[in-house]
Amino acid sequence: MSDFAELHYEGNVYKLPVVTGSEEERALDISKLRGQSGLITIDPGYKNTGSTQSAITFLDGEKGILRYRGYPIEQLAEKSTFLEVAYLIIFGELPTQEEYKQWSSDITYHTLIHEDFKRILEGFPSNAHPMGVLSSLVTSLTAFYPESLDPTRSADEVRMNIIRLLAKMPTLAAWAYKNEIGQPIVYPKNSLDYCGNFLRMMFGTPAEDLDIDPTVAAALDKLLILHAEHEQNCSTSTVRIVGSSHASLYASVSAGINALWGPLHGGANQAVIDMLEAIKADGGSVDKYLAKAKDKEDPFRLMGFGHRVYKNFDPRARIIKKAADDVLGKLGVNDPVLDIAKKLEMAALEDEYFVERKLYPNVDFYSGIIYRALGIPTNMFTVMFAMGRLPGWVAQWREMRSNNEPIGRPRQVYTGENERNYVSIDQR
Ligand code: CMC
């Protein structure tokens, strides 16, 4: 097989090296094209652009394959824990027993947050959306750990920043929620595991401890695993590009949280429930909403449907759909919205519009239904996604910095005015 492709343009031939990945994925290296030919490439939304070579996640959207560091998502979701998966994603290998013990003890030890954070939190209006609060609090970590700003830090120091971020994220997320509902914050309790601790800080009060339901904690852990990493999506690319300017881990992840917030990305989980509720309030018939989604004059889209890379099925959605049935069954929750979701899915999968465009339920279609059954309020759904995605953002930031990647700076094709002379205001 040839290791380059030829581009013929205006009588010249340019050789473009072919880069091959470990799963035989092929890409044209166009990094020298402009220097040789004056041409750049254009690809709005980076639909066909590889921004990096990465050893973290393999994804085949046609076959519905997702693997973290080579391990299939199905195996990890069934057998592993979120903290173990986080270690795998960030450091590349499953931890030994000794490494895992140290890792979980380090993360448990650093859950507490500086008391001054409470004053920052009090500055937000009580109805502030927790995603905005969370991203602000994560950036604020730079003020408490100013040494994290130094781009020349050693691997050990970077590891400490990573541990702090993973450890404090559930505390920050739960506090963002407490601020929203006007309740006093609950401090972390280090005898609990990652999800148990978060649930207690979310739903407990300082006066009354909370018994953690193992079904709820296990379901949350599985959801976090399923969201933990997804290669170069919008928020992860944001983290990498912000980090490429040598901005700190905390600043880069905060930017990722904001990118995740939008309804076309992580915000879709909240939008799905809003949509299903609207269908329910409208009598429960899905046909009207399918018609709206197909109408090009109508901005409405079927939230939780479609994906940039999955064109047959989203493997995470399959696992979550099954988990939704299990969790609701175990908790004895009967949510009419689940029935509407299933009706909607069935109707869409048989509809020519959705079949033709290869639009299938994505990870967000059923996750909101589980979050709801766990008692998590709708505007915290995307915060849950952010908690899950954190290891992915961290690993991608770390990989980008270890590879010493250049600052991200795409080019453009200019379509504005040609040069013209300034006309003073009295002559206009
Ligand atoms: N409902 C109706 N039509 C859709 C939908 C949808 N949810 N998604 C895509 N289409 C149509 C779109 O109108 C276009 O049609 P046409 O070819 O006639 O112009 C075609 O399908 C291709 O869509 P696209 O917008 O070019 O695809 P994309 O790869 O740019 O967008 C997407 C991917 C996820 C943004 C989009 O499918 C969407 O908006 N889905 C709803 C929001 C959602 O669920 N987002 C969560 C994604 S998964 C979680 C995550 O990782 O972020």
Side-chain angles (χ1 to χ4, degrees), residues 374-387:
L374 303 186
I376 292 167
T378 316
N379 62 358
M380 278 296 283
F381 288 1
T382 316
V383 169
M384 308 315 299
F385 194 155
M387 263 173 63

Side-chain angles (χ1 to χ4, degrees), residues 25-54:
E25 299 165 292
R26 294 211 173 79
L28 293 181
D29 177 352
I30 52 100
S31 55
K32 299 205 166 54
L33 180 63
R34 183 171 173 278
Q36 291 166 349
S37 66
L39 290 167
I40 63 163
T41 56
I42 186 152
D43 181 20
Y46 310 131
K47 291 193 174 197
N48 202 41
T49 294
S51 58
T52 190
Q53 296 189 49
S54 175

Side-chain angles (χ1 to χ4, degrees), residues 16 21 38-39 41 55 70 76 97 115 118 132 172-173 201 209 236 292 301 303 390 395 427:
L16 303 175
L39 290 167
T41 56
L76 294 171
Q97 288 181 30
E115 278 296 286
K118 288 201 289 193
L172 296 175
M201 290 188 284
D209 220 343
T236 303
K292 271 167 76 64
R301 281 190 164 200
M303 298 316 287
L390 186 58
Q427 287 171 22

Side-chain angles (χ1 to χ4, degrees), residues 421-428:
N421 287 325
Y422 176 76
V423 180
S424 59
I425 195 157
D426 53 334
Q427 287 171 22
R428 272 179 247 154

Side-chain angles (χ1 to χ4, degrees), residues 44-45 47 227 230 233-235 259-260 262-269 271-272 275 289-290 292-296 298-311 314 316 353-354 356-365 385 389:
K47 291 193 174 197
H227 285 89
H230 213 233
N233 54 79
C234 173
S235 57
L260 185 75
L264 297 189
H265 192 9
N269 55 15
V272 168
M275 174 187 78
Y289 289 85
L290 278 188
K292 271 167 76 64
K294 294 191 289 186
D295 180 358
K296 292 289 167 203
D298 190 328
F300 176 80
R301 281 190 164 200
L302 213 54
M303 298 316 287
F305 257 76
H307 201 278
R308 171 62 60 76
V309 289
Y310 292 121
K311 299 299 173 195
D314 178 339
R316 303 165 302 171
Y353 173 98
F354 290 90
E356 233 174 44
R357 289 168 181 75
K358 298 181 185 271
L359 300 171
Y360 297 88
N362 58 50
V363 67
D364 286 330
F365 193 65
F385 194 155
R389 184 53 54 85

